[in-house]
Amino acid sequence: MEKKKPKNVFVQGAISSDFIGNSIAKHQTKTSIGAHNIFLGQVRADQVDERTITAIEYTAYEEMANQKFYEIRESTFDKFEITCMHIYHSLGTVKAGEICLFVFVSAPRRKVVFEALEFIVEAIKADVPVFGKEIFEDQTHQWKQNSYTE
Amino acid sequence: MELNIKYFGMLAEATATHEEQMQIETCSVAQLLEKLNHRYPKLANMDFKVAINQQLVRPDSIINSEAEIALLPPFAGG
């Protein structure tokens, strides 16, 4: 099978509201689109044994992760009648309350964007080799692990 | 043959290594892990998947040429 070189999904640090706003603005020229749907993953300040998470430090097996993001993209276009989609994921430190994942999907009509977005986010959580070190306020840490119920 | 072995997340922490090279004869993934467990006893109790050249593989997969081996702890994207 021919392997196209996947583009880089990763951004250093948190994803800003400006970046997200600009992405939306860029779609104003694509007038066949009638519906956008956006997922934003935000770092939660979970409490574990009286310590509070203040940030997550993300690392990834970047070559494999970008390939997986590319495969998710291909299978989303195969399954759903969408116009376009974009995925951005943070690397490095993202503080509690900041955005670490931005998924943006657009289509002529609304129904498909709800289904496509859920498919993409679940696939990212399950299949992409990204790792998260959850840092507590006292600088101790634990390792994040995705569950299917979150 | 030479393998390039990469460790990620809690595995990099447990082995204090991100990447290393190892000379080895043809072997299964399980046989390679046995050697790595011997070198890094902490690995034996940890949960991880193995990828050969960015493809996830099973313990009975055979490594018979130069390859990049990655030890991947539970995924935490998003």
Side-chain angles (χ1 to χ4, degrees), chain B residues 1-3 22-28 31-32 35 63:
Chain B
M1 65 197 182
E2 185 173 88
L3 300 181
M22 186 187 260
Q23 291 293 334
I24 196 165
E25 300 300 312
T26 296
C27 67
S28 68
Q31 287 167 326
L32 171 66
K35 281 186 196 299
I63 307 167

Side-chain angles (χ1 to χ4, degrees), chain B residues 1-72:
Chain B
M1 65 197 182
E2 185 173 88
L3 300 181
N4 189 32
I5 305 176
K6 291 186 163 198
Y7 304 86
F8 291 91
M10 67 179 84
L11 304 177
E13 182 178 68
T15 59
T17 307
H18 283 93
E19 188 166 357
E20 65 183 340
Q21 284 72 44
M22 186 187 260
Q23 291 293 334
I24 196 165
E25 300 300 312
T26 296
C27 67
S28 68
V29 168
Q31 287 167 326
L32 171 66
L33 292 182
E34 219 169 281
K35 281 186 196 299
L36 295 179
N37 285 343
H38 188 70
R39 188 181 290 187
Y40 306 110
K42 283 184 188 168
L43 282 183
N45 299 317
M46 298 180 82
D47 175 24
F48 59 87
K49 294 176 182 169
V50 177
I52 302 178
N53 295 331
Q54 302 176 27
Q55 300 289 328
L56 292 179
V57 294
R58 300 189 332 179
D60 58 1
S61 299
I62 300 297
I63 307 167
N64 56 13
S65 60
E66 284 195 357
E68 180 169 280
I69 310 291
L71 272 56
L72 306 171

